[in-house]
Amino acid sequence: MTVTGALTILWYALAPFLWLMVTGLLLLVVVQVLAHLRGYRLLGYRCLGANLAAIAIGLSGLWWIPLFTNSSLTYVATVFDWAALIGAVIGLAVIAWLVLSPLSYLLRVRQPSPP
């Protein structure tokens, strides 16, 4: 299979979910920019609730990623299948943390009161 053929197959597989990916990317960028403007630093702020929620969201991917792809965990048979699923779960947890951590910062930081 040529590279062009593989990219064509990938495009047809991702096309129905393109709106969802763009919406998620837009949410990620907006939350990061707003939090950064309010003083958020990526590795300088820690929130246990956001960390635990990101881990829970990542682990929930073990249940809904196979459902989302019309599959089941019984079809995850080879090492490569498990590597892909674990990679998707880790990626999901990282993206959830990148959204939830600055969002929790924005919810905790109080507006300065006017003089």
Side-chain angles (χ1 to χ4, degrees), residues 3 14 28 30 37 40 43 48 53 55 59 62 75 79-80 85 87 92 97 99-100 103 110:
V3 173
L14 292 178
L28 174 68
V30 166
L37 292 174
Y40 172 76
L43 298 176
L48 181 63
I55 291 171
L59 289 176
L62 288 172
Y75 294 138
V79 173
F80 299 108
L85 184 60
L92 182 63
W97 181 78
V99 171
L100 292 177
L103 193 59
R110 303 218 187 274

Side-chain angles (χ1 to χ4, degrees), residues 23-77:
T23 305
L25 182 64
L26 187 65
L27 175 70
L28 174 68
V29 169
V30 166
V31 168
Q32 285 284 338
V33 167
L34 286 176
H36 180 72
L37 292 174
R38 299 280 310 268
Y40 172 76
R41 297 295 172 254
L42 187 64
L43 298 176
Y45 173 74
R46 290 180 178 81
C47 177
L48 181 63
N51 294 344
L52 292 176
I55 291 171
I57 290 171
L59 289 176
S60 75
L62 288 172
W63 176 73
W64 65 264
I65 289 173
L67 290 177
F68 201 61
T69 58
N70 295 324
S71 182
S72 71
L73 280 179
T74 58
Y75 294 138
V76 182

